[in-house]
Amino acid sequence: MTTYSAVLTTGIYCRPGCGAKPLPRNNVTFEHAAAAEAAGFRACLRCRPYRVAGPVGSDAPELVCRAVQLIIGGALDHDGTEEALAARVGLSARHLRRLFLKHLGASPDQLARSRRAHFARRLLDDTDLTVLDVAFASGFGSLRQFNRAIREVFRASPTDLRDRRRRADRLVADGGLALRLPFLPGYDWPATLGLLSSWAVPGVESVEGETYRRTITVKDAPGLLEISPGGADHLLLRAHLPYWEDLIHVVDRASRIVGLDTDHSAGVEVLSDDPVLGPLVRSRPGLAVPGAWSGYEVATQVVLGSGLADFVASRGSAVPGLPGGLTHTFPLPSGEFAVLEPGIGVAAVAALPGLDVEQAHRVAFRLGCREAFPTGEPALAGALAELGVSPATRWHPWSALAAAQLMAASGRTR
């Protein structure tokens, strides 16, 4: 987990490895950048902590993790309120704030504001988007709101921050908008890519070499995302989109697909001592649990199985001229599966018509439920048979991470 060090005498917080050398007695640590900002500290201009990964730890309570996923999805953008967010997870706004302050060190509103400001700062550094485009791409409802938030977090105006960017910041890509997707040290892209390859939706997703590609729909228009290795601390996302408004949510969903939205270090530490999983986890400690673009998409995939390609071809929108065998966007959400959201539990998925418990585990697994164990996945069933073991209750509550490790170890995912 990334920890941030704040200096009481300067009011600045830094990421690990910053060259600043404050006296230890003046240091205070925070697990999240939003918590440091909520306490009144501003980001260091030297180490730029907004450029490192800062996912929420998987050891936070399930309700908090689900609320964070809803915030990432835009629940507090524009006119969203903490009261409405709390109602969606079945809590009072007061209790939700209490849980957030206890486990994250910041309220839901503070976390949302910090995430938007950090994303905007990355766009100011890495792209040539105008300040106005950056504001709306980052999920702010107005330029005034954007300017106020940037000044509160970074103590400078957006134009001042744009002027301070470094020569090496701007990314160059062969078409599209290039963005960094920061990850925690040790992240295992090849293993994660192997799992994504085994689940790729025909015509919508593809894996070629070290690159993952998929089509998306943005406001009824097609788009293309490409994710590939970028550097020692990030993947490179190339986004070909018709609009930049609310780009932050496209990038967040891309990060969720490749498993960058959750810190699994707590689960890795526990499972490393397991007699069966220990050797697997120790050999691949950076394996993430991949996610999905949407609940509707993964639920449809689970239910239709081999009929998925025909469904995409008949109901999706054709997009000619794309690389990697991509031909269509996935059909737009409709019906009962359209309500599926990241972080939803197995029981809630199983309550929907048309899904049995085994299928619910498969869907919840791809939506970030850490307790899901999708035995219906051929790779997982094969791995359990190869090892001669049955699903173990001792893997709870890290069942999803255990499943990902077993699937990555199975020859069926390679």
Side-chain angles (χ1 to χ4, degrees):
M1 175 179 290
T2 300
T3 55
Y4 301 89
S5 178
V7 184
L8 295 171
T9 53
T10 63
I12 294 172
Y13 75 92
C14 304
R15 75 188 202 184
C18 182
K21 302 294 183 183
L23 295 174
R25 66 172 180 270
N26 293 328
N27 276 9
V28 182
T29 59
F30 297 91
E31 291 187 358
H32 303 283
E37 291 159 11
F41 296 94
R42 66 182 186 277
C44 176
L45 295 177
R46 178 189 297 181
C47 68
R48 302 189 291 180
Y50 56 89
R51 296 183 73 93
V52 300
V56 172
S58 57
D59 54 346
E62 197 74 33
L63 282 174
V64 171
C65 292
R66 187 178 175 207
V68 169
Q69 288 295 333
L70 293 174
I71 290 172
I72 290 173
L76 293 182
D77 289 358
H78 309 304
D79 297 325
T81 64
E82 289 187 347
E83 288 74 15
L85 173 65
R88 291 175 69 176
V89 297
L91 298 175
S92 69
R94 182 178 180 182
H95 187 43
L96 182 64
R97 285 178 60 88
R98 187 184 303 117
L99 288 175
F100 265 65
L101 291 171
K102 177 181 178 181
H103 296 283
L104 305 182
S107 70
D109 277 333
Q110 288 169 333
L111 177 65
R113 185 193 65 168
S114 176
R115 295 188 72 264
R116 288 193 294 266
H118 283 220
F119 183 76
R121 182 71 193 271
R122 286 163 52 195
L123 293 181
L124 291 169
D125 281 357
D126 298 344
T127 77
D128 288 323
L129 293 178
T130 67
V131 169
L132 183 62
D133 282 339
V134 168
F136 291 107
S138 304
F140 289 97
S142 68
L143 189 60
R144 177 179 295 180
Q145 183 189 68
F146 169 63
N147 286 328
R148 183 173 63 249
I150 293 298
R151 285 186 178 277
E152 288 174 352
V153 173
F154 297 109
R155 306 298 198 274
S157 70
T159 53
D160 288 341
L161 297 176
R162 168 62 62 80
D163 291 340
R164 292 177 186 173
R165 68 177 173 179
R166 302 169 191 175
R167 185 182 298 274
D169 283 342
R170 279 177 286 182
L171 299 170
V172 178
D174 184 15
L177 185 72
L179 297 165
R180 293 176 175 88
L181 298 181
F183 55 66
L184 295 173
Y187 173 75
D188 193 337
W189 174 235
T192 305
L193 195 64
L195 292 175
L196 289 172
S197 178
S198 70
W199 296 321
V201 176
V204 175
E205 297 176 287
S206 71
V207 172
E208 284 189 326
E210 295 183 300
T211 300
Y212 166 85
R213 294 186 179 93
R214 71 157 294 131
T215 60
I216 63 171
T217 300
V218 181
K219 296 185 177 179
D220 297 327
L224 171 67
L225 303 180
E226 301 176 282
I227 304 175
S228 56
D233 61 355
H234 67 275
L235 297 173
L236 181 65
L237 168 66
R238 289 188 296 274
H240 307 260
L241 304 175
Y243 313 101
W244 300 127
E245 186 177 349
D246 287 333
L247 172 66
I248 183 173
H249 301 310
V250 173
V251 175
D252 284 337
R253 291 170 80 174
S255 295
R256 187 171 70 216
I257 288 174
V258 297
L260 302 184
D261 59 335
T262 302
D263 174 11
H264 297 289
S265 57
V268 168
E269 183 177 353
V270 172
L271 295 179
S272 293
D273 294 329
D274 185 85
V276 174
L277 291 179
L280 303 180
V281 176
R282 290 193 295 272
S283 68
R284 283 187 169 126
L287 173 67
V289 179
W293 179 255
S294 73
Y296 173 75
E297 186 174 300
V298 70
T300 303
Q301 181 177 19
V302 166
V303 170
L304 293 182
S306 60
L308 185 65
D310 290 339
F311 175 76
V312 169
S314 63
R315 300 196 184 185
S317 297
V319 188
L322 298 182
L326 302 181
T327 59
H328 291 74
T329 58
F330 202 86
L332 295 176
S334 63
E336 294 86 352
F337 297 160
V339 304
L340 290 169
E341 298 174 327
I344 192 170
V346 173
V349 178
L352 294 176
L355 289 171
D356 59 31
V357 174
E358 183 181 88
Q359 292 172 323
H361 273 271
R362 295 175 67 185
V363 173
F365 172 79
R366 296 290 303 279
L367 292 180
C369 175
R370 67 187 182 200
E371 298 178 3
F373 196 81
T375 53
E377 289 287 343
L380 180 55
L384 291 172
E386 290 169 14
L387 293 172
V389 297
S390 300
T393 56
R394 66 176 179 272
W395 297 335
H396 178 84
W398 314 111
S399 302
L401 180 59
Q405 288 285 348
L406 288 164
M407 284 188 277
S410 171
R412 294 169 183 259
T413 65
R414 297 173 184 171

